[in-house]
Amino acid sequence: MPHVGIEAMNVYAGTACVDVRALARHRQLDLARFDNLLMLEKTVALPNEDPVTFAVNAARPLVDALAPQEKDRIEMVITCTESSFDFGKSLSTYVHQLLGLNRNCRLFELKNACYSGVAGLQMAVNFILAQTSPGARVLVVATDISRFLMDEDTHDQDWSFAEPSGGAGAVAMLVGEDPQVFRIDVGANGYYGYEVMDTCRPSADSEAGDADLSLLSYLDCCENAYLEYRKRVPQADYASSFQYLAFHTPFGGMIKGAHRSLMRKLAPAASAEIELDFNRRVAPGLDYCQRVGNTMGAAMMVSLASTIANGRFDTPQRVGCFSYGSGCCSEFFSGVATSAGQARLRTMDIGRRLDQRYRLSMAEYDEILSGGGVVRFGTRNATLAERYTPATTDGQGATLFLRRIENYHREYAWMA
């Protein structure tokens, strides 16, 4: 069976962020409860940033690194998002055009809450395995933003802690037959899903849900998706088969709880042993997540990128991955990363680019949340202000921003 997986990978986390502990104080949240989130910063999508700018800024370094003949073998572009701005037109068309890809290419979009990124990855994997076009590559981009616009209906007590954890970002992956970054364990999948109303986006610019139900559904799916994985891989052992674990990460505290629950049920292990295991196998995957916030469809892949960038890969290491999407669908799968893959991922310099984001003051952040300059779903015509742009691009090179919308069509510009 041919190898398949991620040949190249990049995380793009925008140009601006906020200190979420400062935000918690600003909102007068219970800081003891806030500390359980295990969050440090979150990306804030500026008015002239949208899911396309995040997607293209993530994918461009991967595409630019290809020779012309390699670039022409990208035969499918899959965008994965719950933040689309059109009920029909796929944002993959914008991504394809802005990256200058071959027109002999399939373009489409997937929506399934936070599971969409892994759904896109697995669809790409199976296209490559099918060998209908030997040597082809698939560009998969998971891209999502959250905008906590000022609205009393969505800021009740139950959802006040969603604001510090709700971020924005994109992960781009080239999937093909030379998986230097992450080789998929073909056939090693456990999936589990059912209908539950834990979180949703009932309108284009709002989110709703039941935080407690979402946590319980996540824990239920995490256990049962892994148990299904174990049916397909009978020799698998949660405590010893995976040198690292990467989880869909709404916030770090949820991951710590999920890992603790599985270790108690499947290992079983005492509290001190679980804490050590968490720090060794799970914490490397939280580094980027703690600084970006919940990126919905991209969150699982942000954790995987963080694991590969920050773990130890002197020898090949197996990573167990868990993806969860509200509503719900989940999957546990695995793959192998190596030192060569880590070196290739590190050339993306993701940590440095996180450091270079502009730190918004609380006044600046609240101004954005008040809706000033933010274009909403269905906007027909708009011109975006440039006042946010100059301070945020320092040291990051050419960055794509939304400039205007004319008769619903979005126009973008690169700014150095």
Side-chain angles (χ1 to χ4, degrees):
M1 182 175 292
H3 287 171
V4 63
I6 301 172
E7 297 188 347
M9 186 180 197
N10 187 36
V11 176
Y12 179 77
T15 56
C17 67
V18 292
D19 179 320
V20 291
R21 189 171 182 83
L23 175 59
R25 289 196 298 267
H26 182 59
R27 295 284 186 255
Q28 299 181 327
L29 301 181
D30 180 345
L31 292 183
R33 184 181 172 192
F34 165 80
D35 287 340
N36 292 329
L37 296 179
L38 300 181
M39 287 287 301
L40 300 174
E41 303 164 337
K42 75 164 191 170
T43 290
V44 178
L46 299 179
N48 50 4
E49 295 178 311
D50 70 1
V52 170
T53 67
F54 278 88
V56 174
N57 287 321
R60 186 182 181 186
L62 308 185
V63 173
D64 284 354
L66 298 174
Q69 63 271 24
E70 294 175 320
K71 182 176 176 180
D72 281 346
R73 291 310 313 275
I74 296 175
E75 297 184 10
M76 186 181 295
V77 176
I78 308 174
T79 50
C80 314
T81 187
E82 61 182 73
S83 308
S84 193
F85 41 74
D86 189 285
F87 286 125
K89 182 176 172 63
S90 167
L91 63 87
S92 65
T93 58
Y94 286 104
V95 173
H96 173 267
Q97 188 271 331
L98 288 160
L99 293 173
L101 299 180
N102 192 324
R103 289 196 172 190
N104 300 118
C105 189
R106 289 189 176 111
L107 312 174
F108 60 95
E109 191 160 295
L110 296 177
K111 175 183 75 68
N112 202 324
C114 300
Y115 176 64
S116 64
V118 168
L121 170 63
Q122 296 293 1
M123 181 171 285
V125 163
N126 283 285
F127 170 73
I128 300 300
L129 287 174
Q131 288 291 289
T132 55
S133 183
R137 290 181 172 88
V138 182
L139 175 63
V140 180
V141 191
T143 178
D144 265 311
I145 65 175
S146 56
R147 295 197 194 276
F148 288 86
L149 301 178
M150 293 296 189
D151 185 337
E152 292 300 320
D153 292 335
T154 60
H155 280 296
D156 58 33
Q157 186 62 37
D158 288 341
W159 281 89
S160 59
F161 284 87
E163 185 187 359
S165 60
V171 177
M173 299 167 280
L174 275 177
V175 179
E177 299 171 0
D178 184 22
Q180 296 182 35
V181 173
F182 189 66
R183 175 171 55 82
I184 293 287
D185 291 331
V186 176
N189 309 73
Y191 17 88
Y192 188 77
Y194 52 92
E195 196 283 320
V196 61
M197 198 64 176
D198 56 338
T199 70
C200 64
R201 290 195 179 192
S203 67
D205 297 309
S206 68
E207 301 181 29
D210 182 325
D212 292 334
L213 180 60
S214 186
L215 173 60
L216 292 173
S217 181
Y218 185 104
L219 294 174
D220 179 43
C221 285
C222 191
E223 178 180 351
N224 282 288
Y226 174 74
L227 292 176
E228 179 64 20
Y229 174 97
R230 197 169 65 182
K231 287 181 184 179
R232 297 165 187 252
V233 188
Q235 70 273 22
D237 179 85
Y238 181 77
S240 61
S241 295
F242 314 102
Q243 287 74 52
Y244 291 100
L245 293 161
F247 290 80
H248 164 61
T249 306
F251 56 89
M254 179 179 281
I255 308 317
K256 193 165 189 176
H259 175 65
R260 180 172 59 242
S261 176
L262 287 178
M263 287 292 288
R264 285 174 175 172
K265 291 180 178 181
L266 302 174
S271 296
E273 182 184 353
I274 293 172
E275 183 71 19
L276 289 172
D277 189 75
F278 175 82
N279 290 331
R280 179 175 62 86
R281 293 200 294 164
V282 183
L286 295 185
D287 185 271
Y288 295 165
C289 300
Q290 289 177 306
R291 302 188 62 191
V292 176
N294 184 7
T295 52
M296 287 72 82
M300 163 67 245
M301 309 316 299
V302 173
S303 178
L304 178 61
S306 183
T307 298
I308 296 172
N310 296 301
R312 296 190 60 177
F313 292 89
D314 299 331
T315 58
Q317 305 287 294
R318 177 158 280 106
V319 183
C321 303
F322 174 67
S323 173
Y324 173 81
S326 293
C328 70
C329 188
S330 64
E331 182 168 348
F332 191 98
F333 64 102
S334 61
V336 175
T338 66
S339 59
Q342 182 182 64
R344 185 167 193 184
L345 179 62
R346 284 179 172 177
T347 63
M348 297 293 104
D349 217 1
I350 298 165
R352 181 182 64 84
R353 286 188 286 109
L354 291 177
D355 292 339
Q356 290 178 336
R357 290 171 300 174
Y358 177 72
R359 266 62 178 173
L360 293 164
S361 68
M362 288 299 102
E364 290 171 320
Y365 175 70
D366 278 345
E367 182 184 356
I368 293 170
L369 265 62
S370 69
V374 174
V375 294
R376 295 178 180 265
F377 190 96
T379 297
R380 182 165 187 165
N381 295 292
T383 299
L384 279 296
E386 297 183 26
R387 58 198 170 97
Y388 296 102
T389 304
T392 62
T393 59
D394 183 39
Q396 297 210 46
T399 304
L400 188 72
F401 290 96
L402 176 64
R403 291 299 302 273
R404 66 178 59 85
I405 303 173
E406 186 172 343
N407 200 24
Y408 301 115
H409 186 257
R410 297 195 169 212
E411 299 177 13
Y412 297 88
W414 293 97
M415 300 195 67

